[in-house]
Amino acid sequence: MQPALRPETFPVNTPAASQIFTTVLSHGPLTRLEVGRRAGLSPAAVTKAVRPLIEAGYLVEGADEDARPSLGRPANLVRVDGGRALFVGLKMTGDEIIGVLTDLCCRILVSRHTPLEGRDPGSVLASAADLVQELLAEAAGLGVGVLGLGVAVSGDVDRGEGTVRYSPFLEWHDVPLAELAATITGLPVTVDNDVRALTVAEQWFGAGAGLSNFAVVTVGAGIGCGLVVHGRVVAGAHGVAGEIGHVTVDPAGPPCHCGNRGCVEAIASDAAIIRRVREATGAEVADPLHAVELARQNVAGVREVYAAAGDAIGRGIATVANLLGPERVIISGEGLAAYDLFAEQIRDAFTAAAFGSAARCDVRTRPLPFEEWARGAAATAIQSFIRSDTN
């Protein structure tokens, strides 16, 4: 692969500047007064941080042409120039890599899918290199530099070290993915757990924007959870904070690949549902869509499998609400294709298990395609570029 454009650094590297930029990124365009109010900073601090960002082209300021006519000049608004820089995001699954090219505002400009020929790190990285090369070629056509690559992988990921400690779907152990990907692409690389990456995107650009405390729960091949506490995505001391997929909800339940029994994931993941539908029907269930079809055909015993899955998910979400008291829980993931089959059980189990005012948590669904997970990876690259305290 040809070397990427010479890496560029963010023009200011202070907590105040990062806070102001992310405030404008998530909520802009804003007046300087609004920026200071949202960021909790003085006008002088805003001016000091904004000036070099405008000079470097990351922020632009101009009159609000859409404002209603009034006495005096229209207020000047500060906004991010999304076309100032580009980023690449990759979401790796056990079967394919989804790649996106985004602008600085994390808007997807180009998306690509490539199947995996194998799951060993060398084979996956070769496929990733080809996909990144395609996206870099697209960026070159736009005449804008790519300033970072984000990679999202399921499992136990140490973002600070850039290491995939364990990924069950890729069957990886202790892979120094950031180092390897940086070597083959020439880009600064951020590697994170896929659910945490999706949570970053939801925090800055999605259903979590403006919230200090919320959670993203993903349902599908696994059961994941990303946590935002006091405005920060939480990884925990060992990088596994939010693993509600391995919260035990039925001690006598089915075994889980983690070694315990009755985990949410052992009851509600795609593989668990398929296995239990096969047991209930004796049918050769090919994939999650086949299982959903059987349930909607009212094949005996199948709806009960989904009801149990919904109960487990609801109890897992209640555990999050009881421990952290989030303002909102966002349910997403490919498993939402079956949401009508277990929505009632999720709500009932959550209400029954949530303690006191924790039950007031706003639980909502947000179906997102895999491109959005790759966008989350790009969001982590943007985050690493503009903030020095994320790894």
Side-chain angles (χ1 to χ4, degrees):
M1 174 174 286
Q2 294 297 315
L5 296 176
R6 185 169 178 263
E8 180 178 337
T9 58
F10 199 54
V12 285
N13 193 20
T14 65
S18 295
Q19 186 177 7
I20 286 170
F21 189 82
T22 55
T23 297
V24 178
L25 189 64
S26 297
H27 304 289
L30 299 170
T31 65
R32 292 195 185 200
L33 187 63
E34 289 173 320
V35 172
R37 180 176 57 81
R38 286 179 177 269
L41 297 169
S42 68
V46 172
T47 296
K48 182 179 180 181
V50 163
R51 184 183 298 117
L53 292 171
I54 290 176
E55 291 173 353
Y58 288 96
L59 293 179
V60 294
E61 187 172 24
D64 182 5
E65 301 298 337
D66 296 326
R68 293 181 179 179
S70 62
L71 294 176
R73 292 183 301 176
N76 282 344
L77 297 179
V78 180
R79 64 177 176 83
V80 173
D81 180 2
R84 173 62 177 79
L86 302 179
F87 294 82
V88 171
L90 302 182
K91 155 68 173 170
M92 294 180 172
T93 76
D95 304 308
E96 66 173 346
I97 305 174
I98 302 94
V100 297
L101 178 69
T102 79
D103 67 7
L104 184 55
C105 294
C106 216
R107 292 176 294 225
I108 297 176
L109 306 178
V110 181
S111 64
R112 295 279 189 275
H113 290 237
T114 188
L116 290 180
E117 301 298 327
R119 294 183 179 178
D120 61 285
S123 176
V124 173
L125 280 162
S127 297
D130 290 342
L131 184 53
V132 170
Q133 183 63 58
E134 289 183 34
L135 295 171
L136 289 177
E138 294 281 355
L142 297 172
V144 181
V146 173
L147 302 187
L149 165 65
V151 185
V153 183
S154 67
D156 183 357
V157 179
D158 186 327
R159 174 167 169 170
E161 295 294 327
T163 300
V164 179
R165 291 192 290 234
Y166 172 56
S167 180
F169 303 122
L170 286 169
E171 300 172 354
W172 285 2
H173 292 270
D174 298 320
V175 176
L177 185 57
E179 178 185 347
L180 295 172
T183 298
I184 64 171
T185 65
L187 292 169
V189 177
T190 301
V191 175
D192 208 344
N193 167 270
D194 56 351
V195 180
R196 281 201 299 271
L198 184 65
T199 303
V200 172
E202 288 299 287
Q203 179 188 26
W204 282 9
F205 311 106
L211 301 180
S212 296
N213 299 277
F214 72 93
V216 175
V217 173
T218 57
V219 180
I223 308 296
C225 180
L227 302 173
V228 172
V229 179
H230 299 312
R232 295 184 65 86
V233 178
V234 176
H238 304 291
V240 293
E243 281 288 350
I244 70 164
H246 298 289
V247 169
T248 298
V249 292
D250 180 6
C256 181
H257 65 81
C258 74
N260 294 316
R261 301 188 71 91
C263 296
V264 177
E265 195 162 296
I267 299 170
S269 68
D270 285 345
I273 289 172
I274 289 172
R275 183 181 64 253
R276 298 184 80 184
V277 170
R278 286 172 177 165
E279 292 170 354
T281 64
E284 283 299 321
V285 183
D287 53 37
L289 291 178
H290 188 189
V292 169
E293 181 183 353
L294 293 176
R296 291 181 178 149
Q297 291 173 352
N298 291 314
V299 173
V302 180
R303 283 187 174 268
E304 288 77 5
V305 172
Y306 281 98
D311 182 81
I313 294 166
R315 291 179 181 277
I317 292 172
T319 299
V320 173
N322 290 341
L323 288 173
L324 298 173
E327 302 162 72
R328 179 174 296 159
V329 173
I330 303 157
I331 306 175
S332 191
E334 66 274 22
L336 286 189
Y339 189 69
D340 60 300
L341 299 173
F342 50 49
E344 182 179 353
Q345 287 77 17
I346 290 176
R347 288 193 299 269
D348 290 348
F350 172 78
T351 301
F355 175 75
S357 59
R360 295 164 54 191
C361 174
D362 174 24
V363 179
R364 61 174 63 182
T365 59
R366 183 164 156 78
L368 296 170
F370 268 133
E371 285 79 6
E372 291 295 318
W373 294 68
R375 178 175 178 252
T380 66
I382 295 170
Q383 185 184 60
S384 291
F385 177 67
I386 66 177
R387 287 169 54 172
S388 60
D389 60 345
T390 53
N391 290 337

